[in-house]
């Protein structure tokens, strides 16, 4: 039976070539619209989220603050300053926390390589900082390790832009750089990354040394901030409450006093960003969907015209014993085939355009965010589902009209 339906469809297509071509073109154009809008929206959302995670991957940045509530006879307005021991206490006392690092910071650090001299922000951290802030090294180098921290080694990890500023096109790994007059060995250079959030400037311009080396050279007692990562995003809120409770007990402030500590919650920021990206996707999907819906109206129109012109044909089939369901199936099948054929062409062209845009070299500025479309399986499945619904809807009503044709009246139709 399906073979007969295909033959009928092909015969009608040859008779109405121009009309069928224009209808398929409309479906193709509608498919292009919805797929490209969703693909670019998906790419934008992923790029923004990746830029946020490159600044802090599922972490809390904890800064000391100032109490805003009296507590146990102590006045408000007391300054809370954090130390290295606070990190050890949090990791021991809060099972919801997975890992963490201290962070000492210093602006105006002078770096020299030969005649090249520059200043930047330098940070003293622990090895887990690499995963917490995604400061991964390029091949041939490494990040700081436990031995560097334990032995207080004079080693430095450079941001990619800072390394280029100091060494040009030379490989910095193994080279010596003077930091405030002291020689340090470069152990690694950071991979280039997109960063949409930052503290104290981008990581690309940062020099990173072991926290213990930083303490020894500069004598800092208080950390700039602590970085901690919950074991699961589902435990994040509980972990944050425990941070206030544990440090509140240590520094004697009210655990409900949110101003006693400043917590930069990257997990909540990621959730908000995902909601924004979903809103953008819904808006773009509606715009593209309306375009596809208009193309579906075109399919319905051509099927109505086809039914009217084939009234005599359907009457003969009914007179010869064809059931109404068979007539309906034929019309619906033809509408569905037109929609899916145009959709298949649209999906293919969309995939080619997406791949072409993704391979644009040297993306800078706005292109870094916009030229990253993603044609994901959910987008393709959603498009196919829309095309199927449009094809069924476009064929259903003309099919009912065809099935209700009276054989006697139809034979008189010219």
């Amino acid at each position: 039976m399906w073979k007969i339906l295909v033959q009928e469809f092909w015969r009608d297509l040859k008779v109405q070539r121009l009309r069928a071509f224009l209808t398929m073109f409309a479906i193709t154009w509608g498919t292009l619209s919805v797929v490209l809008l969703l693909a670019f929206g998906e790419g934008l959302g992923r790029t923004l989220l990746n830029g946020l995670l490159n600044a802090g991957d599922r972490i809390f940045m904890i800064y000391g603050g100032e109490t805003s509530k009296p507590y146990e006879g102590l006045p408000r307005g007391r300054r809370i300053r954090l130390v290295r021991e606070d990190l050890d206490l949090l990791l021991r006392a809060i099972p919801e926390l997975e890992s963490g690092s201290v962070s000492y910071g210093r602006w105006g650090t002078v770096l020299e390589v030969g005649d090249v001299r520059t200043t930047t922000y330098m940070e003293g951290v622990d090895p887990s900082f690499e995963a917490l802030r995604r400061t991964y090294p390029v091949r041939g180098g490494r990040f700081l390790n436990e031995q560097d921290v334990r032995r207080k080694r004079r080693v430095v990890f450079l941001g990619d832009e800072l390394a280029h500023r100091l060494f040009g096109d030379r490989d910095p790994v193994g080279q010596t750089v003077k930091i405030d007059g002291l020689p340090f060995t470069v152990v690694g250079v950071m991979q280039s990354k997109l960063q949409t959030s930052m503290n104290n400037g981008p990581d690309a311009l940062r020099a990173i040394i072991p926290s213990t080396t930083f303490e020894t050279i500069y004598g800092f007692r208080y950390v700039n901030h602590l970085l901690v990562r919950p074991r699961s995003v589902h435990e994040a809120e509980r972990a944050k409450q425990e941070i206030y409770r544990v440090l509140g007990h240590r520094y004697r402030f009210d655990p409900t006093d949110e101003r006693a500590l400043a917590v930069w919650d990257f997990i909540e920021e990621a959730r908000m960003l995902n909601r924004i990206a979903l809103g953008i996707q819904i808006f773009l999907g509606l715009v593209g969907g309306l375009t596809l819906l208009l193309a579906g109206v075109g399919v319905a129109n051509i099927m109505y015209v086809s039914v009217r012109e084939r009234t005599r044909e359907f009457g003969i089939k009914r007179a010869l014993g064809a059931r109404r369901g068979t007539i309906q199936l034929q019309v619906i099948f033809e509408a569905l085939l037109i929609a899916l054929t145009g959709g298949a062409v649209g999906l293919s062209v969309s995939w080619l355009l997406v791949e072409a845009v993704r391979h644009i070299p040297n993306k800078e500025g706005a292109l870094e965010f916009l030229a990253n479309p993603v044609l994901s399986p959910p987008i393709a499945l959603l498009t196919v589902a829309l095309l199927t619904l449009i094809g069924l809807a476009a064929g259903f009503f003309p099919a009912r009209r065809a099935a209700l044709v009276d054989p006697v009246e139809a034979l008189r139709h010219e």
Side-chain angles (χ1 to χ4, degrees):
M1 185 176 96
W2 294 108
K3 182 179 179 180
I4 296 174
L5 289 175
V6 172
Q7 290 173 343
E8 291 280 347
F9 170 75
W10 182 249
R11 187 191 66 184
D12 188 54
L13 194 65
K14 287 191 293 184
V15 173
Q16 303 290 345
R17 291 178 185 175
L18 180 60
R19 190 184 300 161
F21 170 77
L22 292 175
T23 306
M24 285 188 183
F25 180 79
I27 289 290
T28 299
W29 185 259
T31 304
L32 268 172
S33 300
V34 68
V35 171
L36 290 181
L37 284 171
L38 289 175
F40 277 90
E42 177 81 7
L44 177 61
R46 291 191 184 187
T47 301
L48 290 174
L49 180 60
N50 188 55
L52 174 67
L53 296 178
N54 281 337
D57 189 356
R58 209 165 35 90
I59 66 171
F60 299 140
M61 281 188 186
I62 308 168
Y63 297 82
E66 187 176 284
T67 60
S68 61
K69 299 178 181 179
Y71 185 70
E72 294 183 348
L74 297 172
R76 67 170 61 91
R78 291 181 298 117
R79 187 177 180 188
I80 306 299
R81 304 186 70 180
L82 304 176
V83 295
R84 171 184 286 278
E85 290 74 22
D86 293 330
L87 175 65
D88 299 330
L89 173 64
L90 291 175
L91 293 178
R92 286 198 313 270
I94 305 176
E96 289 86 0
L97 295 182
E98 177 183 73
S99 60
S101 171
V102 299
S103 174
Y104 297 96
R106 185 174 185 275
W107 277 106
T109 303
V110 179
L111 288 82
E112 297 176 89
V113 175
D115 297 332
V116 180
R117 178 187 174 96
T118 188
T119 60
T120 192
Y121 181 79
M122 186 170 70
E123 199 163 6
V125 304
D126 297 329
S128 55
F129 185 91
E130 176 185 9
L132 299 177
R133 291 285 302 272
R134 290 189 175 183
T135 51
Y136 300 121
V138 297
R139 182 173 295 182
R142 64 173 178 84
F143 194 71
L144 311 179
N145 59 32
E146 293 293 343
Q147 290 296 322
D148 296 330
V149 174
R150 188 176 299 112
R151 298 184 181 183
K152 304 179 182 180
R153 289 172 173 167
R154 286 191 204 166
V155 292
V156 62
F157 182 86
L158 299 176
D160 54 306
E161 291 185 27
L162 179 60
H164 187 267
R165 184 182 297 179
L166 291 170
F167 293 94
D169 295 329
R170 291 180 294 157
D171 183 6
V173 177
Q175 302 294 323
T176 298
V177 56
K178 285 188 177 181
I179 300 180
D180 287 340
L182 297 175
F184 278 71
T185 301
V186 179
V187 294
V189 175
M190 187 185 73
Q191 295 177 13
S192 178
K193 66 178 182 179
L194 173 67
Q195 191 175 345
T196 55
S197 294
M198 58 192 72
N199 68 313
N200 299 307
D203 293 349
L205 291 173
R206 187 162 304 191
I208 300 174
I209 66 174
S211 58
T212 51
T213 307
F214 194 104
E215 292 170 348
T216 301
I217 295 174
Y218 298 103
F220 279 30
R221 166 62 178 158
Y222 300 105
V223 300
N224 183 273
H225 58 272
L226 303 175
L227 299 91
V228 293
R229 173 186 283 172
R231 295 184 184 279
S232 166
V233 293
H234 306 295
E235 299 176 335
E237 193 57 36
R238 168 68 177 169
K240 188 189 293 188
Q241 293 174 359
E242 285 295 290
I243 288 170
Y244 276 91
R245 183 189 66 79
V246 171
L247 293 182
H249 179 74
R250 175 176 170 83
Y251 290 102
R252 299 181 66 190
F253 64 80
D254 190 333
T256 63
D257 187 357
E258 294 185 356
R259 295 185 61 184
L261 299 173
V263 178
W264 188 352
D265 188 344
F266 279 81
I267 297 173
E268 183 58 31
E269 282 203 14
R271 288 198 187 104
M272 291 178 61
L273 197 56
N274 278 326
R275 295 189 195 107
I276 293 171
L278 178 60
I280 293 173
Q281 282 289 80
I282 291 173
F283 173 75
L284 294 177
L286 287 174
V287 173
L290 287 174
T291 306
L292 194 56
L293 183 61
L294 291 175
V297 173
V299 176
N301 285 335
I302 193 177
M303 295 313 300
Y304 269 116
V305 173
S306 176
V307 166
R308 187 174 67 249
E309 292 179 349
R310 297 163 66 188
T311 301
R312 187 178 181 85
E313 173 193 333
F314 292 139
I316 292 173
K317 288 182 177 180
R318 293 280 289 118
L320 293 175
R323 297 180 180 179
R324 288 181 176 179
T326 304
I327 301 296
Q328 286 181 318
L329 180 61
Q330 179 181 348
V331 177
I332 291 174
F333 176 79
E334 290 181 9
L336 189 59
L337 208 56
I338 289 174
L340 292 179
T341 302
V345 175
L347 276 172
S348 300
V349 175
S350 299
W351 180 80
L352 291 174
L353 290 175
V354 165
E355 288 301 309
V357 173
R358 285 174 59 86
H359 288 85
I360 293 176
N362 303 322
K363 300 174 188 175
E364 295 181 358
L367 284 180
E368 195 169 9
F369 293 90
L370 298 177
N372 295 292
V374 177
L375 183 52
S376 60
I379 291 177
L381 290 174
L382 176 62
T383 305
V384 171
L386 280 173
L387 288 167
T388 303
L389 289 174
I390 287 173
L392 291 173
F396 177 75
F397 296 103
R400 287 188 62 186
R401 180 175 176 175
L404 294 175
V405 167
D406 181 82
V408 176
E409 294 296 324
L411 290 174
R412 296 176 182 171
H413 186 271
E414 292 296 335

